Amino acid sequence: PNLNEQDCLRVGLSMQTIEVYARNIQSRHALFIVDSCFSGSIFSLSRAIPQIIQEKTNRPVRQFITAGRANQTVPDVSIFRRQFIKALKGEGDYNKDLYVTASELGQYLEDTVTNYSKGSQTPQYGKLRHPTLAQGDFVFPISASITMEVVKGQIQTEQEKIRQAGMEEKNKK
């Protein structure tokens, strides 16, 4: 692609296309071995919901996130709202599984809002104290555009590793 991007785009197959072909093959078994840059993105495209996320969404829960403590006043235009949006765009995904749970969201808001407000606003979060209503977690999937940014970052990291390995190999000679 660096030498002639147009030709590459004309003849190359996207991993999305390969996934479509793979789904439509009429055989019992198919093995794809792909020795090319960015081929690992196939796993990002058809990624199954992680088991832990599925478990969290299958169990009942009542969760609360507040903008401050019981004794705190909160401004109409607060840091809380801006940080809430940033969290749902991916910054609150502490474990980088492309889902933001309400527990991660609460932790993110507590950390960032408390910090940015210099302690004048301290969000609180938790589950209802009830044996059957505190088992799961509310889950926000990160949008596809954000997911692609994450994948792009991972690809760039892999490219850098490949470049670095190439430089090290060249230096050995």
Side-chain angles (χ1 to χ4, degrees):
N2 292 340
L3 299 176
N4 190 335
E5 186 175 356
Q6 291 302 325
D7 280 350
C8 180
L9 293 173
R10 187 174 48 78
V11 298
L13 292 176
S14 71
M15 293 310 289
Q16 288 100 341
T17 301
I18 292 171
E19 181 182 12
V20 169
Y21 290 156
R23 290 179 186 278
N24 291 325
I25 292 173
Q26 298 296 313
S27 65
R28 184 177 306 259
H29 300 107
L31 172 64
F32 295 81
I33 299 174
V34 185
D35 181 15
S36 70
C37 296
F38 318 122
S39 57
S41 64
I42 189 75
F43 300 109
S44 301
L45 300 172
S46 61
R47 192 174 81 89
I49 295 173
Q51 183 65 33
I52 189 73
I53 294 295
Q54 216 160 21
E55 288 174 20
K56 289 178 181 204
T57 58
N58 285 338
R59 295 182 179 161
V61 70
R62 303 298 182 269
Q63 289 176 276
F64 298 87
I65 299 175
T66 65
R69 291 185 178 172
N71 61 347
Q72 290 179 327
T73 57
V74 176
D76 288 338
V77 179
S78 73
I79 298 164
F80 183 86
R81 184 179 72 235
R82 288 188 303 270
Q83 293 308 116
F84 180 85
I85 292 167
K86 283 183 173 184
L88 293 183
K89 286 184 173 182
E91 287 188 28
D93 182 15
Y94 280 150
N95 64 359
K96 303 300 180 208
D97 65 354
L98 303 178
Y99 294 88
V100 177
T101 64
S103 298
E104 285 176 310
L105 177 61
Q107 183 66 55
Y108 176 85
L109 292 169
E110 182 181 57
D111 293 346
T112 61
V113 173
T114 301
N115 181 39
Y116 295 146
S117 71
K118 298 181 176 111
S120 66
Q121 190 176 345
T122 312
Q124 305 288 285
Y125 66 98
K127 298 177 182 180
L128 189 67
R129 288 186 202 144
H130 189 278
T132 59
L133 298 177
Q135 297 176 12
D137 210 336
F138 200 90
V139 176
F140 299 90
I142 296 177
S143 73
S145 62
I146 303 299
T147 302
M148 289 311 295
E149 287 300 314
V150 170
V151 170
K152 186 178 173 183
Q154 291 170 342
I155 289 169
Q156 288 171 342
T157 300
E158 288 302 314
Q159 285 177 319
E160 186 56 39
K161 286 180 186 175
I162 291 167
R163 272 191 223 110
Q164 187 67 29
M167 297 285 267
E168 289 173 6
E169 187 66 30
K170 201 182 249 186
N171 291 336
K172 287 180 183 178
K173 293 179 181 182

